[in-house]
Amino acid sequence: AIKESKHQQLDECQLVLFCQEIQVLSICHYPFLLSFIGFTNCFPYSIVTKHITKGSIWNALHHDDPLSGDNKNKIAIGIAAGMAELHRHNIIHGDLKSLNVLLDDDYMPVICDFGMSKILEFENETIALAKNVGTPAWMAPELFSNGEISNKSDVYSFGILLWELETSNIPFKGVKPDQLSDMVVNKQERPLIPSNSPVE
């Protein structure tokens, strides 16, 4: 698979993000993380990775392919293992969501899209970003309020993704970003866990 930039020339910020994504992909070699093949250093600026066949969890849940309970369980476990590997390398994904987890032929998850990832200098470091960077429904409260990101931000996003897997619903569907910020930060509202969800 080829992720190709639409820009003929990368400005300083775009170049930093491009190099950062390459660096993250090149660090982690793990079954539940997207396999890195190579990149180009001139136009068209591209990142080449393994092609994952079944598309994203988002498509499976909301469009194409209803997932069985067993598949949902192994997907959840695989994502947890992949994220633990990232955090072991002091890498924050920064945009974990169902669109950024692909499924292979065996319905095993592959975490992808490291364009917003950050590599920390030391464990449990907090990095200040611009506010509202990410995808609102999966964003941790601190990203709305002060733009700070840490590995705990990924944990929050993973929780929302687990809810999405359990319910097959879109988190905070129909809520506008400014309303969502008030709900998540000020009112501390979260998606309700269905009463029939298993406790273990």
Side-chain angles (χ1 to χ4, degrees), residues 64-111:
D64 303 331
D65 190 2
L67 297 170
S68 69
D70 285 345
N71 283 335
K72 288 182 178 183
N73 282 337
K74 69 181 182 181
I75 288 166
I77 293 168
I79 296 170
M83 292 305 298
E85 178 68 6
L86 283 178
H87 290 178
R88 189 174 74 82
H89 288 279
N90 289 338
I91 296 171
I92 302 171
H93 187 283
D95 196 22
L96 182 64
K97 57 184 178 181
S98 54
L99 280 162
N100 287 342
V101 183
L102 306 175
L103 297 174
D104 68 12
D105 284 333
D106 297 318
Y107 291 92
M108 298 302 287
V110 180
I111 299 166

Short mmCIF file of all heavy atoms in Angstrom, two decimals, residues 64-111:
data_model
loop_
_atom_site.label_atom_id
_atom_site.label_comp_id
_atom_site.label_asym_id
_atom_site.label_seq_id
_atom_site.Cartn_x
_atom_site.Cartn_y
_atom_site.Cartn_z
N ASP A 64 -19.63 -2.95 6.02
CA ASP A 64 -19.43 -4.13 5.19
C ASP A 64 -19.71 -5.48 5.83
O ASP A 64 -20.39 -6.31 5.27
CB ASP A 64 -17.97 -4.17 4.68
CG ASP A 64 -17.60 -2.91 3.92
OD1 ASP A 64 -18.51 -2.33 3.32
OD2 ASP A 64 -16.43 -2.52 3.94
N ASP A 65 -19.16 -5.71 7.00
CA ASP A 65 -18.88 -7.08 7.42
C ASP A 65 -19.11 -7.23 8.92
O ASP A 65 -18.20 -7.04 9.71
CB ASP A 65 -17.41 -7.36 7.07
CG ASP A 65 -17.06 -8.82 7.23
OD1 ASP A 65 -17.95 -9.62 7.57
OD2 ASP A 65 -15.89 -9.16 7.02
N PRO A 66 -20.33 -7.58 9.34
CA PRO A 66 -20.58 -7.72 10.78
C PRO A 66 -19.58 -8.66 11.43
O PRO A 66 -19.29 -9.74 10.92
CB PRO A 66 -22.00 -8.31 10.82
CG PRO A 66 -22.62 -7.91 9.53
CD PRO A 66 -21.50 -7.90 8.52
N LEU A 67 -19.04 -8.23 12.58
CA LEU A 67 -18.00 -9.00 13.26
C LEU A 67 -18.62 -9.89 14.32
O LEU A 67 -19.50 -9.47 15.08
CB LEU A 67 -17.00 -8.04 13.92
CG LEU A 67 -16.22 -7.14 12.97
CD1 LEU A 67 -15.47 -6.08 13.76
CD2 LEU A 67 -15.26 -7.96 12.13
N SER A 68 -18.13 -11.13 14.42
CA SER A 68 -18.60 -12.05 15.45
C SER A 68 -18.00 -11.64 16.80
O SER A 68 -17.04 -10.88 16.87
CB SER A 68 -18.17 -13.48 15.11
OG SER A 68 -16.76 -13.60 15.24
N GLY A 69 -18.58 -12.18 17.87
CA GLY A 69 -18.05 -11.90 19.20
C GLY A 69 -16.61 -12.35 19.35
O GLY A 69 -15.79 -11.65 19.95
N ASP A 70 -16.29 -13.53 18.78
CA ASP A 70 -14.91 -14.02 18.85
C ASP A 70 -13.96 -13.09 18.13
O ASP A 70 -12.85 -12.81 18.61
CB ASP A 70 -14.82 -15.43 18.25
CG ASP A 70 -15.39 -16.49 19.17
OD1 ASP A 70 -15.60 -16.20 20.36
OD2 ASP A 70 -15.63 -17.62 18.68
N ASN A 71 -14.37 -12.61 16.95
CA ASN A 71 -13.52 -11.68 16.21
C ASN A 71 -13.32 -10.38 16.97
O ASN A 71 -12.22 -9.82 17.02
CB ASN A 71 -14.10 -11.40 14.82
CG ASN A 71 -13.86 -12.53 13.85
OD1 ASN A 71 -12.92 -13.30 14.00
ND2 ASN A 71 -14.71 -12.65 12.84
N LYS A 72 -14.38 -9.88 17.59
CA LYS A 72 -14.27 -8.65 18.36
C LYS A 72 -13.30 -8.83 19.53
O LYS A 72 -12.51 -7.93 19.83
CB LYS A 72 -15.65 -8.22 18.88
CG LYS A 72 -16.56 -7.67 17.79
CD LYS A 72 -17.88 -7.20 18.36
CE LYS A 72 -18.77 -6.60 17.29
NZ LYS A 72 -20.04 -6.08 17.85
N ASN A 73 -13.35 -10.00 20.18
CA ASN A 73 -12.44 -10.26 21.30
C ASN A 73 -10.99 -10.25 20.86
O ASN A 73 -10.13 -9.63 21.49
CB ASN A 73 -12.77 -11.60 21.96
CG ASN A 73 -13.98 -11.53 22.86
OD1 ASN A 73 -14.34 -10.46 23.34
ND2 ASN A 73 -14.63 -12.65 23.08
N LYS A 74 -10.69 -10.96 19.76
CA LYS A 74 -9.28 -11.01 19.34
C LYS A 74 -8.81 -9.67 18.77
O LYS A 74 -7.64 -9.31 18.90
CB LYS A 74 -9.03 -12.17 18.38
CG LYS A 74 -9.63 -12.07 17.01
CD LYS A 74 -9.29 -13.35 16.22
CE LYS A 74 -9.83 -13.31 14.81
NZ LYS A 74 -9.51 -14.56 14.06
N ILE A 75 -9.74 -8.91 18.20
CA ILE A 75 -9.39 -7.57 17.73
C ILE A 75 -9.01 -6.69 18.92
O ILE A 75 -7.99 -5.99 18.90
CB ILE A 75 -10.55 -6.95 16.93
CG1 ILE A 75 -10.68 -7.63 15.56
CG2 ILE A 75 -10.36 -5.44 16.76
CD1 ILE A 75 -11.99 -7.32 14.85
N ALA A 76 -9.81 -6.73 19.97
CA ALA A 76 -9.54 -5.91 21.16
C ALA A 76 -8.21 -6.29 21.79
O ALA A 76 -7.40 -5.42 22.15
CB ALA A 76 -10.68 -6.07 22.17
N ILE A 77 -7.95 -7.59 21.91
CA ILE A 77 -6.69 -8.06 22.51
C ILE A 77 -5.51 -7.66 21.64
O ILE A 77 -4.46 -7.22 22.13
CB ILE A 77 -6.74 -9.58 22.72
CG1 ILE A 77 -7.78 -9.92 23.80
CG2 ILE A 77 -5.37 -10.13 23.11
CD1 ILE A 77 -8.12 -11.39 23.90
N GLY A 78 -5.66 -7.78 20.31
CA GLY A 78 -4.58 -7.43 19.39
C GLY A 78 -4.25 -5.94 19.44
O GLY A 78 -3.07 -5.56 19.43
N ILE A 79 -5.29 -5.10 19.49
CA ILE A 79 -5.05 -3.65 19.58
C ILE A 79 -4.33 -3.32 20.88
O ILE A 79 -3.38 -2.53 20.90
CB ILE A 79 -6.37 -2.87 19.49
CG1 ILE A 79 -7.02 -3.07 18.11
CG2 ILE A 79 -6.12 -1.37 19.72
CD1 ILE A 79 -8.44 -2.51 18.03
N ALA A 80 -4.77 -3.93 21.98
CA ALA A 80 -4.11 -3.69 23.27
C ALA A 80 -2.64 -4.07 23.21
O ALA A 80 -1.77 -3.34 23.71
CB ALA A 80 -4.82 -4.48 24.38
N ALA A 81 -2.34 -5.22 22.58
CA ALA A 81 -0.95 -5.65 22.47
C ALA A 81 -0.14 -4.70 21.59
O ALA A 81 1.00 -4.35 21.92
CB ALA A 81 -0.90 -7.08 21.91
N GLY A 82 -0.73 -4.28 20.49
CA GLY A 82 -0.03 -3.34 19.59
C GLY A 82 0.23 -2.01 20.26
O GLY A 82 1.33 -1.43 20.13
N MET A 83 -0.75 -1.49 20.99
CA MET A 83 -0.56 -0.22 21.68
C MET A 83 0.46 -0.35 22.81
O MET A 83 1.25 0.57 23.05
CB MET A 83 -1.91 0.29 22.22
CG MET A 83 -2.90 0.69 21.14
SD MET A 83 -2.26 1.92 19.98
CE MET A 83 -1.97 3.29 21.08
N ALA A 84 0.46 -1.49 23.49
CA ALA A 84 1.47 -1.71 24.54
C ALA A 84 2.87 -1.70 23.95
O ALA A 84 3.81 -1.18 24.57
CB ALA A 84 1.19 -3.04 25.25
N GLU A 85 3.01 -2.26 22.75
CA GLU A 85 4.31 -2.25 22.08
C GLU A 85 4.73 -0.83 21.73
O GLU A 85 5.90 -0.44 21.91
CB GLU A 85 4.26 -3.13 20.83
CG GLU A 85 5.55 -3.18 20.02
CD GLU A 85 6.70 -3.88 20.72
OE1 GLU A 85 6.49 -4.46 21.82
OE2 GLU A 85 7.82 -3.86 20.16
N LEU A 86 3.81 -0.04 21.21
CA LEU A 86 4.12 1.37 20.93
C LEU A 86 4.56 2.09 22.20
O LEU A 86 5.59 2.78 22.21
CB LEU A 86 2.89 2.08 20.36
CG LEU A 86 2.52 1.84 18.89
CD1 LEU A 86 1.26 2.61 18.54
CD2 LEU A 86 3.66 2.25 17.95
N HIS A 87 3.81 1.92 23.27
CA HIS A 87 4.14 2.61 24.52
C HIS A 87 5.45 2.10 25.11
O HIS A 87 6.16 2.85 25.79
CB HIS A 87 2.99 2.46 25.51
CG HIS A 87 1.77 3.25 25.13
ND1 HIS A 87 0.59 3.23 25.86
CD2 HIS A 87 1.54 4.08 24.07
CE1 HIS A 87 -0.29 4.03 25.29
NE2 HIS A 87 0.25 4.55 24.20
N ARG A 88 5.78 0.84 24.86
CA ARG A 88 7.07 0.30 25.32
C ARG A 88 8.23 1.05 24.67
O ARG A 88 9.31 1.20 25.25
CB ARG A 88 7.15 -1.19 24.99
CG ARG A 88 8.34 -1.90 25.60
CD ARG A 88 8.27 -3.40 25.35
NE ARG A 88 8.58 -3.73 23.98
CZ ARG A 88 9.82 -3.85 23.49
NH1 ARG A 88 10.87 -3.63 24.26
NH2 ARG A 88 10.02 -4.16 22.23
N HIS A 89 7.99 1.55 23.45
CA HIS A 89 9.01 2.34 22.74
C HIS A 89 8.82 3.84 22.98
O HIS A 89 9.41 4.66 22.26
CB HIS A 89 8.93 2.06 21.24
CG HIS A 89 9.43 0.70 20.86
ND1 HIS A 89 10.77 0.41 20.70
CD2 HIS A 89 8.77 -0.46 20.61
CE1 HIS A 89 10.92 -0.86 20.35
NE2 HIS A 89 9.72 -1.41 20.30
N ASN A 90 7.98 4.20 23.98
CA ASN A 90 7.69 5.61 24.29
C ASN A 90 7.09 6.36 23.10
O ASN A 90 7.40 7.53 22.85
CB ASN A 90 8.95 6.34 24.78
CG ASN A 90 9.36 5.89 26.16
OD1 ASN A 90 8.55 5.36 26.92
ND2 ASN A 90 10.62 6.08 26.50
N ILE A 91 6.22 5.68 22.36
CA ILE A 91 5.53 6.27 21.23
C ILE A 91 4.05 6.42 21.57
O ILE A 91 3.41 5.48 22.01
CB ILE A 91 5.68 5.42 19.96
CG1 ILE A 91 7.15 5.36 19.53
CG2 ILE A 91 4.81 5.95 18.82
CD1 ILE A 91 7.42 4.36 18.43
N ILE A 92 3.53 7.63 21.37
CA ILE A 92 2.09 7.88 21.49
C ILE A 92 1.50 7.85 20.09
O ILE A 92 2.01 8.51 19.18
CB ILE A 92 1.82 9.25 22.12
CG1 ILE A 92 2.47 9.35 23.50
CG2 ILE A 92 0.32 9.51 22.22
CD1 ILE A 92 2.42 10.76 24.07
N HIS A 93 0.44 7.10 19.89
CA HIS A 93 -0.19 7.06 18.56
C HIS A 93 -0.84 8.40 18.24
O HIS A 93 -0.61 8.97 17.18
CB HIS A 93 -1.23 5.93 18.49
CG HIS A 93 -1.79 5.74 17.11
ND1 HIS A 93 -2.74 6.59 16.58
CD2 HIS A 93 -1.53 4.81 16.15
CE1 HIS A 93 -3.05 6.19 15.34
NE2 HIS A 93 -2.32 5.11 15.07
N GLY A 94 -1.68 8.88 19.14
CA GLY A 94 -2.26 10.21 18.99
C GLY A 94 -3.57 10.27 18.22
O GLY A 94 -4.26 11.30 18.27
N ASP A 95 -3.94 9.22 17.51
CA ASP A 95 -5.19 9.25 16.74
C ASP A 95 -5.75 7.84 16.60
O ASP A 95 -6.16 7.42 15.52
CB ASP A 95 -4.95 9.88 15.36
CG ASP A 95 -6.24 10.31 14.67
OD1 ASP A 95 -7.25 10.52 15.38
OD2 ASP A 95 -6.25 10.43 13.43
N LEU A 96 -5.79 7.11 17.71
CA LEU A 96 -6.33 5.75 17.69
C LEU A 96 -7.84 5.81 17.53
O LEU A 96 -8.53 6.47 18.31
CB LEU A 96 -5.96 5.01 18.97
CG LEU A 96 -6.41 3.55 19.05
CD1 LEU A 96 -5.74 2.70 17.99
CD2 LEU A 96 -6.15 2.97 20.44
N LYS A 97 -8.35 5.13 16.52
CA LYS A 97 -9.78 5.08 16.25
C LYS A 97 -10.03 3.92 15.29
O LYS A 97 -9.09 3.32 14.75
CB LYS A 97 -10.26 6.39 15.62
CG LYS A 97 -9.52 6.78 14.33
CD LYS A 97 -9.96 8.13 13.82
CE LYS A 97 -9.17 8.52 12.55
NZ LYS A 97 -9.57 9.86 12.05
N SER A 98 -11.31 3.61 15.06
CA SER A 98 -11.63 2.44 14.24
C SER A 98 -11.19 2.59 12.79
O SER A 98 -10.93 1.59 12.11
CB SER A 98 -13.14 2.15 14.30
OG SER A 98 -13.89 3.29 13.94
N LEU A 99 -11.08 3.81 12.30
CA LEU A 99 -10.59 4.03 10.93
C LEU A 99 -9.09 3.75 10.81
O LEU A 99 -8.59 3.52 9.71
CB LEU A 99 -10.87 5.46 10.48
CG LEU A 99 -12.30 5.74 10.00
CD1 LEU A 99 -12.58 7.23 10.00
CD2 LEU A 99 -12.51 5.16 8.60
N ASN A 100 -8.38 3.79 11.93
CA ASN A 100 -6.93 3.60 11.92
C ASN A 100 -6.49 2.23 12.42
O ASN A 100 -5.35 2.05 12.83
CB ASN A 100 -6.25 4.70 12.73
CG ASN A 100 -6.27 6.04 12.02
OD1 ASN A 100 -6.49 6.09 10.81
ND2 ASN A 100 -6.07 7.12 12.74
N VAL A 101 -7.41 1.28 12.40
CA VAL A 101 -7.07 -0.11 12.67
C VAL A 101 -7.63 -0.96 11.53
O VAL A 101 -8.84 -0.97 11.30
CB VAL A 101 -7.63 -0.61 14.02
CG1 VAL A 101 -7.17 -2.04 14.28
CG2 VAL A 101 -7.19 0.31 15.16
N LEU A 102 -6.74 -1.63 10.83
CA LEU A 102 -7.12 -2.45 9.69
C LEU A 102 -7.29 -3.90 10.12
O LEU A 102 -6.83 -4.30 11.18
CB LEU A 102 -6.04 -2.35 8.60
CG LEU A 102 -5.67 -0.94 8.14
CD1 LEU A 102 -4.52 -0.99 7.15
CD2 LEU A 102 -6.87 -0.22 7.55
N LEU A 103 -7.94 -4.69 9.27
CA LEU A 103 -8.15 -6.11 9.53
C LEU A 103 -7.57 -6.94 8.40
O LEU A 103 -7.79 -6.64 7.23
CB LEU A 103 -9.65 -6.40 9.66
CG LEU A 103 -10.38 -5.71 10.81
CD1 LEU A 103 -11.87 -5.97 10.72
CD2 LEU A 103 -9.83 -6.16 12.16
N ASP A 104 -6.83 -8.00 8.77
CA ASP A 104 -6.30 -8.88 7.73
C ASP A 104 -7.30 -10.00 7.43
O ASP A 104 -8.43 -9.99 7.93
CB ASP A 104 -4.91 -9.43 8.13
CG ASP A 104 -4.95 -10.39 9.31
OD1 ASP A 104 -6.05 -10.84 9.70
OD2 ASP A 104 -3.86 -10.71 9.83
N ASP A 105 -6.89 -10.95 6.61
CA ASP A 105 -7.81 -12.02 6.19
C ASP A 105 -8.33 -12.85 7.36
O ASP A 105 -9.39 -13.46 7.26
CB ASP A 105 -7.10 -12.95 5.20
CG ASP A 105 -7.00 -12.31 3.82
OD1 ASP A 105 -7.85 -11.47 3.50
OD2 ASP A 105 -6.07 -12.66 3.07
N ASP A 106 -7.58 -12.89 8.46
CA ASP A 106 -7.98 -13.67 9.63
C ASP A 106 -8.65 -12.80 10.69
O ASP A 106 -8.81 -13.23 11.84
CB ASP A 106 -6.75 -14.37 10.23
CG ASP A 106 -6.14 -15.37 9.27
OD1 ASP A 106 -6.90 -16.11 8.62
OD2 ASP A 106 -4.90 -15.40 9.16
N TYR A 107 -9.01 -11.58 10.32
CA TYR A 107 -9.64 -10.62 11.23
C TYR A 107 -8.73 -10.27 12.41
O TYR A 107 -9.20 -9.98 13.51
CB TYR A 107 -10.99 -11.13 11.73
CG TYR A 107 -12.04 -11.17 10.64
CD1 TYR A 107 -12.23 -12.32 9.89
CD2 TYR A 107 -12.80 -10.04 10.34
CE1 TYR A 107 -13.17 -12.35 8.86
CE2 TYR A 107 -13.74 -10.07 9.32
CZ TYR A 107 -13.91 -11.23 8.59
OH TYR A 107 -14.83 -11.26 7.57
N MET A 108 -7.43 -10.28 12.15
CA MET A 108 -6.48 -9.80 13.15
C MET A 108 -6.26 -8.31 12.91
O MET A 108 -6.15 -7.86 11.76
CB MET A 108 -5.17 -10.57 13.08
CG MET A 108 -5.31 -12.05 13.35
SD MET A 108 -6.03 -12.41 14.98
CE MET A 108 -4.65 -12.00 16.04
N PRO A 109 -6.17 -7.50 13.98
CA PRO A 109 -6.04 -6.05 13.81
C PRO A 109 -4.61 -5.61 13.49
O PRO A 109 -3.65 -6.22 13.94
CB PRO A 109 -6.45 -5.52 15.18
CG PRO A 109 -6.03 -6.59 16.13
CD PRO A 109 -6.25 -7.89 15.39
N VAL A 110 -4.52 -4.56 12.69
CA VAL A 110 -3.23 -3.95 12.35
C VAL A 110 -3.38 -2.44 12.52
O VAL A 110 -4.12 -1.79 11.77
CB VAL A 110 -2.81 -4.29 10.91
CG1 VAL A 110 -1.47 -3.64 10.59
CG2 VAL A 110 -2.73 -5.80 10.70
N ILE A 111 -2.71 -1.88 13.52
CA ILE A 111 -2.80 -0.45 13.80
C ILE A 111 -2.00 0.31 12.75
O ILE A 111 -0.87 -0.05 12.42
CB ILE A 111 -2.26 -0.14 15.21
CG1 ILE A 111 -3.09 -0.89 16.26
CG2 ILE A 111 -2.28 1.35 15.49
CD1 ILE A 111 -2.46 -0.92 17.63
#
